[in-house]
Amino acid sequence: MPVAAAHSNASERVLESARFISENSLDVFVPEVGVQEAAQEIIKRMKSTGYSTEEWKKHTLTPNTADAAAIEWIFVVDTLNFSFWSDRQCKAEQYTVTLDGTEHRGYWSLCAAINRAIAEGINITHASYYAHASMSQLSHIFRTDTCEQEPIPMLTERTQCLHETGRVLLEKYGGKFANLLQQCNGSAQTLVETVVREFACYRDEHEFNGRRVDLYKRAQILVADIWACFEGQGAGCFGDIDKITMFADYRVPQALCHFGALVYSPRLVEYLKASEVAVRQGKGANLPEPGLLPSGHKWEVEIRGNSIWAVERICQHIRASGVDVNAILIDFYMWDYAKAHPEAMASIPIHLTRSIFY
């Protein structure tokens, strides 16, 4: 299967893949007027809130000290950073982890579970532990608050991801992701390439219109999290950080639609809305009937690829106005905005896919 473009640079391949997807999409579009208006609105909001890499550390569950332990924490979290949407409408039934008296759902439930395990003396961020951790041990670590709540999604796949990454680190990098990071010599692109080469679970690659397209959501957000944690200094100093693209998941596309930078065809909107109902009724992937959208399906790839392209176009407009910004900050801001304004997102359906890639 040919690659969309013969770039040696990982993020350039992602960007070229996004362009190719956008140019050949039938149901997802990036309207230029919407992009321009979104760029103006987003930069206005970011300026008013003083949004920067410092926002990453303001979250109570992320490491507040940029050190070697933080690097290993980030790697484990991003290795498991996928599929946290719930098919339960009632919050009381959703996967929940309470830590220090606060309930956490979605992505934050993962962070809370990792921090709870560390507090309990479990070496969950040590490759020597998670490379061989049993399903039973990991089930305990990622336990939900009550038996009435759904378990963490895709525990089998999460176990496989931890085993794979842990064993590679033990065999080739002295059991430390920090050692792999150091070998990349301050290059974000080298780090992305190394991660997708060494760890199969990070190879977010698909076929679209007869070509391979690379999206690399988790590999790129891994780099971005290290950069944000270290505020671009020390281990997080990457001279090519601005080459990293947006991280194509299911939440940021929803925010892009809200801001008018992404538009779905009527038939896709109808399908996504019907799927939200169908999935809650327990229906899986059975196209063309509404339900789970399979990973790699044309619609899923169109949504993710056009999201990357939309954020790139937004960045271009903002930079043209003289403001220094990159796709990472735009993505972080959009994700935080979507999580903080669920009422504004309520009418915009998300695509429901179970995948290890996001």
Side-chain angles (χ1 to χ4, degrees):
M1 179 169 55
V3 185
H7 291 293
S8 59
N9 178 303
S11 291
E12 284 183 2
R13 292 202 307 276
V14 172
L15 202 56
E16 180 55 34
S17 293
R19 182 200 294 270
F20 175 75
I21 293 167
S22 185
E23 290 174 348
N24 292 277
S25 291
L26 298 177
D27 291 280
V28 185
F29 314 98
V30 180
E32 186 60 25
V33 172
V35 165
Q36 292 177 14
E37 293 176 351
Q40 294 171 4
E41 183 65 22
I42 290 167
I43 197 59
K44 181 175 70 175
R45 290 172 182 265
M46 290 179 71
K47 283 182 175 179
S48 68
T49 59
Y51 201 88
S52 69
T53 54
E54 295 179 6
E55 298 300 315
W56 194 91
K57 285 187 177 178
K58 289 181 181 178
H59 293 293
T60 58
L61 295 173
T62 54
N64 52 28
T65 301
D67 56 14
I71 293 172
E72 305 306 322
W73 185 96
I74 290 169
F75 179 67
V76 169
V77 166
D78 282 328
T79 295
L80 300 174
N81 183 5
F82 55 84
S83 199
F84 286 101
W85 59 267
S86 176
D87 57 12
R88 310 288 178 89
Q89 200 160 13
C90 177
K91 275 191 174 183
E93 298 178 357
Q94 294 174 1
Y95 177 67
T96 305
V97 176
T98 297
L99 186 65
D100 298 329
T102 301
E103 292 183 345
H104 300 281
R105 297 180 181 85
Y107 165 76
W108 296 115
S109 65
L110 168 65
C111 299
I114 294 294
N115 290 350
R116 179 179 61 187
I118 293 171
E120 293 172 348
I122 300 172
N123 295 323
I124 184 57
T125 60
H126 294 211
S128 57
Y129 176 84
Y130 61 77
H132 308 288
S134 68
M135 181 85 77
S136 176
Q137 288 173 311
L138 293 173
S139 179
H140 172 74
I141 288 172
F142 297 111
R143 66 191 181 276
T144 192
D145 285 348
T146 71
C147 59
E148 287 77 25
Q149 293 165 342
E150 64 182 334
I152 188 171
M154 304 182 75
L155 180 61
T156 298
E157 290 82 358
R158 295 181 200 281
T159 301
Q160 293 168 348
C161 289
L162 287 174
H163 286 175
E164 179 209 340
T165 55
R167 288 167 181 165
V168 170
L169 290 180
L170 290 172
E171 292 169 5
K172 303 178 70 173
Y173 297 98
K176 299 286 186 181
F177 181 73
N179 292 336
L180 184 155
L181 173 62
Q182 187 176 28
Q183 290 184 20
C184 294
N185 298 315
S187 169
Q189 294 310 299
T190 301
L191 181 52
V192 173
E193 290 285 8
T194 304
V195 167
V196 298
R197 182 186 71 239
E198 296 286 21
F199 309 116
C201 65
Y202 276 87
R203 290 178 203 146
D204 189 0
E205 301 165 353
H206 308 274
E207 182 178 358
F208 182 81
N209 277 23
R211 292 188 181 184
R212 194 187 92 189
V213 289
D214 301 340
L215 302 180
Y216 297 153
K217 185 263 186 180
R218 288 198 294 114
Q220 291 198 107
I221 203 170
L222 169 62
V223 177
D225 283 343
I226 294 170
W227 174 70
C229 178
F230 285 79
E231 297 184 54
Q233 304 298 314
C237 180
F238 300 107
D240 53 353
I241 193 64
D242 288 347
K243 291 185 179 295
I244 296 292
T245 73
M246 167 266 190
F247 322 118
D249 64 357
Y250 54 86
R251 187 62 65 191
V252 175
Q254 188 184 39
L256 287 167
C257 287
H258 169 75
F259 283 106
L262 201 65
V263 174
Y264 298 160
S265 70
R267 69 171 180 172
L268 179 54
V269 171
E270 180 182 1
Y271 175 85
L272 295 178
K273 287 184 175 180
S275 291
E276 288 184 335
V277 176
V279 169
R280 291 193 185 104
Q281 295 174 343
K283 296 181 180 178
N286 187 30
L287 293 173
E289 296 298 318
L292 287 175
L293 193 60
S295 177
H297 184 272
K298 181 177 175 63
W299 280 345
E300 187 233 14
V301 175
E302 283 193 19
I303 291 170
R304 298 183 71 206
N306 278 282
S307 296
I308 295 170
W309 190 243
V311 170
E312 176 63 20
R313 296 293 295 126
I314 288 170
C315 279
Q316 290 172 0
H317 280 285
I318 293 176
R319 289 174 187 145
S321 70
V323 178
D324 186 22
V325 73
N326 60 29
I328 297 173
L329 287 177
I330 297 293
D331 183 283
F332 282 178
Y333 174 78
M334 300 280 275
W335 192 89
D336 284 342
Y337 182 89
K339 295 292 286 184
H341 298 85
E343 69 289 343
M345 305 293 130
S347 64
I348 305 169
I350 64 171
H351 65 284
L352 300 176
T353 299
R354 287 295 183 202
S355 167
I356 67 168
F357 298 123
Y358 62 100

